[in-house]
Amino acid sequence: MVAKNPLFVGWSFKKFKATVINDIWPEVLFFSGVATMVTLVSEMTKHKLSFSSAMLTVLGTVLGLVISFRTSSAYERYMEGRKLWVNIAIASRNLAQIIWVHVPFERMDKKTGEQKSILEISIEKKSMVNLVQAYSVAVKHLLRAEPGAYYEDLYPLVCFLPRYATHAPERASEEDMLPLWKASAMDAQKHRTAHTLTSSRPLSPDRTVGRANTAPAGSVSNEDPEKELGELSEDQIYHSMRGRRHKRKKSFDPEMALPVVYSEHPLQPARNPPKESLYDYLPFLRIIKLFFRPLLRPFRRRKPEPEVPLSASSATRSFTGKKLKPEAVDSNVPLEITLFLSSYLAWLLRNGQLQPAIASAFTTGIAQLQDTVTNLDRIRNTPLPFAYQAHLRVSLWLYLFFLPFQVWSSFHYLTIPGTAFASFLLLGFLEIGQEIENPFNYDMNDLDLDSFCLSIQRELHEITAHTCPNPEDYVFTVWNQPFAPGDRRTAEEMMNDVSHSYHGPETGMHSIRRTLLKSWWDVDQITRTK
């Protein structure tokens, strides 16, 4: 398959911003200025700023090889990150299939001795599959340096997890808060209010708040739930669709497919990229901005603190337009999710709900998720050593600085564009290696983690939509021709034709094998090109 040329297909300003021009233009401008100085002095004065180019070929070859190695090693990290996300998708599918297909729907309640309802077991299994879906989303936010669980695409999937280590009727306190919510800076008082609103006034399908007619089990029904609000106003409690009501119907909004729940914190968006401005497309304006900033400071209004804080991955650029790398931030959400999945597996084994082979596959799936996120975190937190990067860049700077002195005697005025082109070429490759060594942020050069998570979400919902029918319900029908092309009769016709040799106690297996052998021969002849 021939790939399309990215330079001439769908070109836009966003693709221009994805290039490394914004990162290297100050260096290219500097070395072009050095070349201009050398050329003008040598051409217009009696001083000739040139010397032998004997070292040019040797140093250029060595630097080319080193820069090529730098770019190749960064691309290997990029591809390894993509492969690890494939592992997450495979493990998520396997775990979801084990939970939905192999965990039985028929189950006896050990306390009452009665059979549990299908609804209860379906809710249990679907909730665990939602945790598997939440894992990939949590890994996405971890890699983008976005800690905690309060995100529009993550919180609705994990909000049902316990907040405290205590159990009813014990009174929970701040010291009993579990690590998942402690690290997410959960507000205990607001959480109790959000829990009261969720149980007493759930959101209707059209995302409007409505009073529930009946209170669910375990909720406060004897007292007015409004009394639980205390001094908090309802405006201080958030739900996962707040701020999303006025979106256009045709706009892409995948969080609409998630549960609608209340939250004690404003949920941060699923995507929180750096804000774009004119300076991202015309980076030289940033330098002009530095000179006018003191003059405009008295007239500038102070911006209020944002209700939703910016993530660590919302890195901006330096005053020259060079991208700033976000700081790495730890998050324990993926680990906590795997702990709940492991405890669910242990509960199934205690109750005898899984066969040993299936339990081993379940354990392997959880271990694969943990191994994958560790390797992804290794890619994110292990840049190339500083000494290697610094020595390579300084060597390249020295090479480009002395380049016009070596080539002026041969190129004269062409030294200026030649040096500019060489600077753009070598510095560009070096910057590309630095750009893609951490491919988990929001740039166009990074991996599309959001699409990976949405793909996993679609696959898991497809798995839970499977009805787990018995094979005899769909195998022996008129739609099935299992022995084609050797025997094109349907399964129903073959089963009804009891006089055929297939049904003979002595001739049955031999006749079936003969038909299958004929099928092989027909397929071999039909599918081979002449």
Side-chain angles (χ1 to χ4, degrees):
M1 176 178 161
V2 180
K4 295 181 180 179
N5 191 333
L7 290 178
F8 304 105
V9 178
W11 183 259
S12 63
F13 281 107
K14 286 190 175 182
K15 286 190 175 182
F16 170 78
K17 194 183 70 168
T19 64
V20 294
I21 296 177
N22 285 346
D23 300 312
I24 65 175
W25 72 269
E27 296 166 285
V28 173
L29 186 63
F30 172 77
F31 293 117
S32 300
V34 173
T36 302
M37 181 270 296
V38 171
T39 302
L40 293 179
V41 171
S42 301
E43 292 287 345
M44 299 182 177
T45 66
K46 62 181 181 179
H47 301 284
K48 307 301 179 184
L49 302 180
S50 65
F51 49 82
S52 175
S53 60
M55 294 294 293
L56 180 65
T57 305
V58 177
L59 293 179
T61 303
V62 173
L63 278 176
L65 292 174
V66 175
I67 292 175
S68 176
F69 169 75
R70 172 72 175 88
T71 307
S72 300
S73 62
Y75 185 71
E76 288 178 1
R77 293 159 62 96
Y78 184 92
M79 289 305 300
E80 185 181 4
R82 181 65 184 97
K83 293 176 182 177
L84 290 172
W85 269 97
V86 171
N87 292 342
I88 290 182
I90 294 173
S92 299
R93 285 197 297 265
N94 292 340
L95 286 174
Q97 290 176 20
I98 291 173
I99 294 172
W100 192 253
V101 177
H102 294 281
V103 176
F105 280 93
E106 295 80 14
R107 192 181 307 171
M108 300 298 295
D109 192 339
K110 291 186 176 181
K111 295 182 180 179
T112 62
E114 299 178 354
Q115 187 171 358
K116 289 188 175 181
S117 67
I118 298 296
L119 175 61
E120 180 181 354
I121 299 174
S122 299
I123 291 175
E124 167 203 310
K125 295 167 67 171
K126 186 62 171 67
S127 301
M128 292 300 113
V129 173
N130 286 346
L131 279 186
V132 176
Q133 174 186 337
Y135 184 84
S136 60
V137 180
V139 172
K140 177 190 74 172
H141 289 294
L142 165 67
L143 297 177
R144 288 177 172 173
E146 297 168 345
Y150 291 98
Y151 299 94
E152 292 176 348
D153 57 344
L154 178 59
Y155 179 78
L157 299 173
V158 300
C159 62
F160 65 92
L161 296 178
R163 259 75 167 180
Y164 301 99
T166 57
H167 302 281
E170 298 181 40
R171 181 70 175 178
S173 61
E174 296 285 345
E175 291 76 13
D176 301 319
M177 191 178 296
L178 292 174
L180 170 62
W181 304 105
K182 192 78 171 180
S184 300
M186 188 190 86
D187 188 296
Q189 182 183 5
K190 286 189 176 183
H191 161 65
R192 285 191 289 270
T193 307
H195 179 269
T196 302
L197 285 174
T198 302
S199 60
S200 62
R201 297 204 313 242
L203 294 178
S204 60
D206 60 352
R207 304 185 303 280
T208 58
V209 179
R211 177 80 62 177
N213 296 327
T214 58
S219 63
V220 181
S221 58
N222 295 331
E223 300 179 2
D224 186 0
E226 297 293 332
K227 294 181 180 180
E228 296 288 335
L229 292 174
E231 298 179 356
L232 293 172
S233 65
E234 190 171 333
D235 291 336
Q236 294 178 272
I237 306 301
Y238 307 88
H239 60 76
S240 56
M241 288 297 169
R242 173 166 292 186
R244 311 173 65 83
R245 300 180 183 180
H246 303 293
K247 284 198 171 186
R248 291 177 296 178
K249 293 182 179 180
K250 294 184 179 180
S251 62
F252 181 69
D253 191 11
E255 283 69 50
M256 294 292 293
L258 296 175
V260 181
V261 292
Y262 285 95
S263 170
E264 61 271 16
H265 284 302
L267 299 182
Q268 299 186 42
R271 286 178 51 84
N272 194 15
K275 292 184 178 180
E276 297 181 352
S277 65
L278 181 63
Y279 303 107
D280 295 325
Y281 303 99
L282 301 174
F284 61 89
L285 294 179
R286 292 180 181 273
I287 299 179
I288 301 177
K289 180 182 178 182
L290 287 178
F291 295 100
F292 285 93
R293 181 179 295 176
L295 300 177
L296 299 177
R297 187 173 298 170
F299 306 98
R300 186 178 302 168
R301 295 182 180 179
R302 186 175 182 181
K303 297 182 179 179
E305 293 293 330
E307 188 179 32
V308 179
L310 295 177
S311 65
S313 64
S314 300
T316 57
R317 297 175 180 264
S318 65
F319 71 95
T320 61
K322 188 178 181 64
K323 294 176 184 176
L324 300 177
K325 288 188 176 181
E327 297 180 1
V329 176
D330 292 330
S331 175
N332 65 337
V333 180
L335 174 61
E336 290 291 324
I337 292 176
T338 55
L339 289 175
F340 280 102
L341 291 174
S342 298
S343 63
Y344 178 62
L345 171 61
W347 181 82
L348 291 174
L349 291 175
R350 286 196 305 269
N351 290 273
Q353 300 298 323
L354 280 182
Q355 298 295 328
I358 302 301
S360 177
F362 202 130
T363 306
T364 302
I366 296 176
Q368 187 176 0
L369 290 179
Q370 293 175 324
D371 178 72
T372 302
V373 72
T374 303
N375 287 317
L376 287 170
D377 198 53
R378 169 180 56 83
I379 295 176
R380 181 186 66 138
N381 290 327
T382 312
L384 289 180
F386 171 77
Y388 178 86
Q389 296 191 59
H391 188 76
L392 176 58
R393 190 167 288 273
V394 171
S395 301
L396 181 57
W397 284 348
L398 291 176
Y399 174 80
L400 293 174
F401 183 84
F402 291 109
L403 179 63
F405 294 91
Q406 300 179 71
V407 302
W408 172 81
S409 59
S410 301
F411 291 94
H412 297 282
Y413 280 104
L414 291 178
T415 301
I416 300 175
T419 302
F421 176 74
S423 302
F424 175 80
L425 187 70
L426 297 176
L427 290 170
F429 279 118
L430 185 62
E431 197 64 36
I432 288 172
Q434 187 170 346
E435 171 77 13
I436 65 176
E437 70 176 359
N438 180 15
F440 304 126
N441 294 317
Y442 290 103
D443 296 330
M444 288 188 66
N445 299 316
D446 295 326
L447 296 172
D448 193 354
L449 306 187
D450 296 282
S451 68
F452 299 162
C453 293
L454 294 178
S455 177
I456 293 174
Q457 178 183 357
R458 290 191 295 268
E459 292 171 349
L460 298 189
H461 278 266
E462 183 175 352
I463 291 173
T464 55
H466 184 63
T467 57
C468 303
N470 295 322
E472 59 267 18
D473 296 336
Y474 55 88
V475 171
F476 305 103
T477 65
V478 296
W479 297 100
N480 187 20
Q481 296 181 8
F483 294 163
D487 187 347
R488 295 189 179 275
R489 293 183 299 169
T490 66
E492 186 179 55
E493 290 174 343
M494 288 189 288
M495 291 300 297
N496 293 334
D497 188 6
V498 294
S499 61
H500 197 276
S501 58
Y502 290 163
H503 294 270
E506 297 180 357
T507 61
M509 195 63 214
H510 178 72
S511 179
I512 293 173
R513 287 175 178 171
R514 181 180 297 173
T515 301
L516 295 178
L517 184 61
K518 182 179 183 301
S519 294
W520 164 77
W521 179 252
D522 291 343
V523 169
D524 187 73
Q525 295 297 315
I526 295 172
T527 58
R528 290 187 182 274
T529 58
K530 296 181 180 180

